[in-house]
Amino acid sequence: TGFKTAILHPPTSSSASAVHMSAVQASHLLIKYAGSRNPQSRRTGESTAGVSKAAAVAELETWLAKIKASEVSFADAAKQRSDCSSYKNGGDLGPFGPGEMQKPFEDATYGLQVGEVSGIVETDSGVHLILRTA
C-alpha cells in the first residue's frame, strides 16, 4: 500500500498546530457508543447503541492503565477490544496526512511523539486511544 495524497488546507487559526506538512502513522483503539456515528462494532458486528459515552470512556481509561502498566501491548489491546476494523492489524491505520482523519484525531496524532500514547480523544466515531508509530 502506498502513501495517500492529502490536500493541504490553509490554517484556520494562528496556531502552529493548524498546519501539518508530512504524513504520520498511528494505531488506535476505538470504543464506539450510542452517540457514535455508525454505532456498530467492526470487530463483533454488534450494535453499540446500548453503550453510554461514560461507559465507553471508563472502559478506555481501564485499557489505557493496562497499556501504561505494560500489562498488555497497545496492539494486543486493540485486537481484543477496538471497534474499528483496524483491530485485525493491532489498530494500525497506516500512514495518513493532513485532512484525512477527523480533526480531533489528526490534531492528537500530530501532537504525539513517535511511540507515545494519547489520552482519550473524542471524535464523531467514538472515543480513542492513539499510538503514534511514525
Side-chain angles (χ1 to χ4, degrees):
T1 63
F3 286 91
K4 298 174 185 170
T5 303
I7 297 170
L8 295 177
H9 300 283
T12 55
S13 73
S14 60
S15 168
S17 67
V19 178
H20 312 298
M21 301 308 290
S22 61
V24 294
Q25 187 163 344
S27 296
H28 76 142
L29 191 165
L30 167 67
I31 298 182
K32 294 184 173 200
Y33 58 92
S36 299
R37 178 180 68 185
N38 199 357
Q40 181 179 16
S41 174
R42 298 290 174 256
R43 182 177 47 84
T44 66
E46 296 176 9
S47 171
T48 60
V51 179
S52 71
K53 181 178 174 182
V57 168
E59 184 178 356
L60 207 53
E61 287 172 342
T62 299
W63 282 107
L64 180 59
K66 289 178 179 182
I67 292 164
K68 287 188 172 189
S70 300
E71 293 175 23
V72 65
S73 70
F74 193 96
D76 285 342
K79 285 177 186 174
Q80 292 173 40
R81 181 55 185 97
S82 185
D83 287 325
C84 179
S85 61
S86 67
Y87 81 91
K88 293 177 257 187
N89 302 318
D92 185 8
L93 295 169
F96 58 89
E100 293 186 60
M101 297 291 177
Q102 293 175 48
K103 188 78 171 134
F105 192 98
E106 177 182 314
D107 288 348
T109 303
Y110 278 94
L112 295 169
Q113 298 297 315
V114 173
E116 187 178 7
V117 176
S118 72
I120 294 173
V121 177
E122 183 178 350
T123 70
D124 290 344
S125 298
V127 289
H128 313 250
L129 295 177
I130 304 168
L131 168 65
R132 183 167 172 181
T133 56

